Amino acid sequence: MDKMITIGKSVYMETYAQFPLVLNRGSGRYVFDTQNKKYLDMVAGIAVNILGYGDPLLSEKLKSVVEDGLLHCSNFYWNPYAIAAAEKLSRLSGMERVFFCNSGTEANEAAIKLVRKYGSTQDPAKTDIITMEHSFHGRTYGSMTATGQPKYQGAFKPLVPGFSYAQFNDYESVKELVTSRTCAIFIEVVQGEGGVIPADPKFLKQVRELCNQHDILLVFDEVQCGLGRTGYSFAWQISNVKPDVMTLAKALGAGVPIGALVATGKAAQVFTPGDHAATFGGNLLASAAANCVLDRLADPTFLPHVTTVANRIRSALSKLQQTYVQLTEIRGIGLMVGVEMSIPVRPIIEACMEAGLLIASAGPNVLRFVPPLTITEEEIDTAMAILADVLAQLLS
Ligand SMILES: *Cc1c(COP(=O)(O)O)cnc(C)c1O
């Protein structure tokens, strides 16, 4: 394993501060390294692998696409899996139209183009976009500019013009930024990278109303919080504040890369042929995976399970909070859980890894739990027991 990592370090661009772990296999909610050590996985490839590992339906479906030989055919032609996935997504969201791409970043880039076309066809100056501080929308120029965190933008200026940043969950700060040039407001319904912070339903309602008044498109980035993670198909369903545009990716292919832009009403009519495209977007392999995910979300037992196991992790964490003052806040919805700590979390994450448990962070002081949605109550108990041991070692 060390030898492989040495090679990796010599040939990878140094964009990631990777843990010294080489993973090559998964089963259920466990991943295995090349020395066959197993890890209970509460990272799920960053909220991607919602069906865990080796899901029989997903595996069978992908095998059958591979056996048929056609993984990709371009968007010159229709393919049955993309049509079915778009129809399922539309039914699940109540939003009419879907554009498939390959990632969250790309979905947000598409959203930026859509809202700018929408605004500028009314008034050429109506191209400004408001996003939230501490948001995360991606790493390419538009989506990085939309991201309200200077740490992602620092060395890469100049940024894309026309963006301003309001304070998340502060309606007045949004209202103050709105002008006749504003075409859209972008919000993550639960901020992920920014520290696992849910939007206040009242805030969402007020922003929706503001958008209606000024003919501004409301865009929800559900790339991380969407597709069942909160116990709802989409996090906006909790507050019942419906966006005009929604972006999806991470969980949509349960590990096969696929993203989507979804739009309703006037926003669904904006793009015309030639406006936007993606070579790989909605190819057969990725769309077949998306069909499996969307079928699972439509299964009436799937989302209640998320809420059941989410309650279990929450009560275990609350118990730990009673023992350790360093756990300052437990946040999140469903199986998108953040624990704010008064100390850096990296040593905790490393000790858990050593003990066979993978946990992510969301900034230096927040532990982030985004396990496969198929995780069982027993597995939650196992994970929480390992965490309790680690905290006892490090904090007592
Ligand atoms: C991960 C993420 C993105 C970017 O997605 P990529 O697939 O990495 O491009 C965008 N928005 C949110 C909310 C995310 O969590």
Side-chain angles (χ1 to χ4, degrees), residues 317 320-321 324-329 339-341 391 395:
L317 288 170
L320 288 174
Q321 196 180 25
Y324 301 105
V325 290
Q326 292 90 341
L327 278 67
T328 52
E329 196 183 1
V339 178
E340 174 100 37
M341 305 220 25
L391 293 179
L395 303 182

Side-chain angles (χ1 to χ4, degrees), residues 46-48 102-108 135-140 143 147 187-194 220-226 247-250 257-259 336 368:
I46 319 182
V48 167
N102 309 290
S103 68
T105 295
E106 270 183 73
N108 286 320
S135 60
F136 183 81
H137 298 295
R139 297 289 204 149
T140 57
S143 61
T147 293
I187 298 176
E188 285 166 88
V189 180
V190 184
Q191 287 191 334
E193 303 307 306
F220 285 164
D221 180 338
E222 292 245 358
V223 168
Q224 189 161 159
C225 62
T247 56
L248 298 170
K250 291 196 165 82
I258 180 169
M336 186 169 178
R368 174 171 37 162

Side-chain angles (χ1 to χ4, degrees), residues 227-371:
L227 298 164
R229 182 143 300 278
T230 60
Y232 292 75
S233 290
F234 308 105
W236 57 260
Q237 292 170 326
I238 298 167
S239 60
N240 203 26
V241 173
K242 194 173 174 181
D244 302 293
V245 176
M246 165 169 73
T247 56
L248 298 170
K250 291 196 165 82
L252 185 55
V256 184
I258 180 169
L261 172 72
V262 189
T264 188
K266 55 204 179 184
Q269 310 302 325
V270 172
F271 280 153
T272 51
D275 277 342
H276 199 53
T279 296
F280 295 123
N283 85 9
L284 288 83
L285 188 75
S287 305
N291 271 284
C292 290
V293 167
L294 296 166
D295 286 345
R296 209 61 68 84
L297 286 176
D299 174 339
T301 65
F302 190 77
L303 293 174
H305 172 79
V306 174
T307 303
T308 303
V309 291
N311 289 338
R312 193 143 183 122
I313 188 169
R314 225 155 242 289
S315 60
L317 288 170
S318 300
K319 236 189 216 154
L320 288 174
Q321 196 180 25
Q322 284 159 21
T323 313
Y324 301 105
V325 290
Q326 292 90 341
L327 278 67
T328 52
E329 196 183 1
I330 300 166
R331 295 192 293 254
I333 308 176
L335 284 177
M336 186 169 178
V337 179
V339 178
E340 174 100 37
M341 305 220 25
S342 58
I343 51 169
V345 297
R346 178 103 184 181
I348 297 169
I349 289 172
E350 285 170 347
C352 284
M353 191 175 301
E354 191 57 41
L357 172 66
L358 302 185
I359 308 175
S361 60
N365 292 321
V366 178
L367 288 174
R368 174 171 37 162
F369 302 85
V370 283

Side-chain angles (χ1 to χ4, degrees), residues 1-16 18:
M1 184 155 77
D2 289 346
K3 221 162 144 195
M4 279 181 89
I5 292 174
T6 305
I7 296 170
K9 282 190 169 169
S10 72
V11 293
Y12 264 37
M13 287 219 186
E14 293 189 73
T15 53
Y16 305 108
Q18 276 149 324

Side-chain angles (χ1 to χ4, degrees), residues 25-291:
R25 198 161 64 81
S27 175
R29 269 64 58 191
Y30 285 87
V31 293
F32 296 78
D33 69 20
T34 44
Q35 287 159 353
N36 218 25
K37 178 174 169 182
K38 70 173 187 174
Y39 303 84
L40 181 50
D41 183 13
M42 303 208 76
V43 178
I46 319 182
V48 167
N49 304 321
I50 60 168
L51 303 181
Y53 306 100
D55 178 78
L57 294 175
L58 178 65
S59 301
E60 284 313 307
K61 187 78 224 171
L62 293 178
K63 271 186 225 163
S64 92
V65 176
V66 170
E67 275 160 16
D68 287 340
L70 190 68
L71 306 183
H72 173 87
C73 72
S74 89
N75 285 303
F76 288 154
Y77 317 104
W78 298 93
N79 84 67
Y81 303 119
I83 294 170
E87 196 192 14
K88 285 169 188 169
L89 203 44
S90 168
R91 198 177 317 129
L92 207 58
S93 63
M95 300 171 74
E96 305 92 83
R97 287 188 190 263
V98 179
F99 171 85
F100 287 119
C101 53
N102 309 290
S103 68
T105 295
E106 270 183 73
N108 286 320
E109 289 294 335
I112 292 166
K113 283 179 69 175
L114 187 153
V115 301
R116 285 197 156 164
K117 185 179 178 194
Y118 177 78
S120 63
T121 37
Q122 299 163 39
D123 169 357
K126 193 167 169 153
T127 56
D128 287 357
I129 295 170
I130 298 170
T131 73
M132 301 300 130
E133 287 176 5
H134 306 295
S135 60
F136 183 81
H137 298 295
R139 297 289 204 149
T140 57
Y141 265 93
S143 61
M144 176 181 71
T145 304
T147 293
Q149 299 193 60
K151 71 172 177 184
Y152 293 106
Q153 303 167 337
F156 306 106
K157 286 169 183 170
L159 301 175
V160 177
F163 285 80
S164 62
Y165 310 95
Q167 272 166 282
F168 188 57
N169 280 337
D170 179 346
Y171 173 67
E172 289 304 320
S173 82
V174 179
K175 204 174 148 189
E176 270 170 27
L177 291 178
V178 168
T179 69
S180 60
R181 303 164 64 108
T182 307
C183 68
I185 299 174
F186 279 58
I187 298 176
E188 285 166 88
V189 180
V190 184
Q191 287 191 334
E193 303 307 306
V196 190
I197 308 170
D200 180 352
K202 186 172 162 218
F203 172 71
L204 296 177
K205 283 195 179 85
Q206 287 174 316
V207 173
R208 176 71 272 179
E209 195 50 43
L210 185 69
C211 289
N212 294 349
Q213 279 165 17
H214 298 273
D215 198 7
I216 293 167
L217 293 178
L218 181 58
V219 182
F220 285 164
D221 180 338
E222 292 245 358
V223 168
Q224 189 161 159
C225 62
L227 298 164
R229 182 143 300 278
T230 60
Y232 292 75
S233 290
F234 308 105
W236 57 260
Q237 292 170 326
I238 298 167
S239 60
N240 203 26
V241 173
K242 194 173 174 181
D244 302 293
V245 176
M246 165 169 73
T247 56
L248 298 170
K250 291 196 165 82
L252 185 55
V256 184
I258 180 169
L261 172 72
V262 189
T264 188
K266 55 204 179 184
Q269 310 302 325
V270 172
F271 280 153
T272 51
D275 277 342
H276 199 53
T279 296
F280 295 123
N283 85 9
L284 288 83
L285 188 75
S287 305
N291 271 284

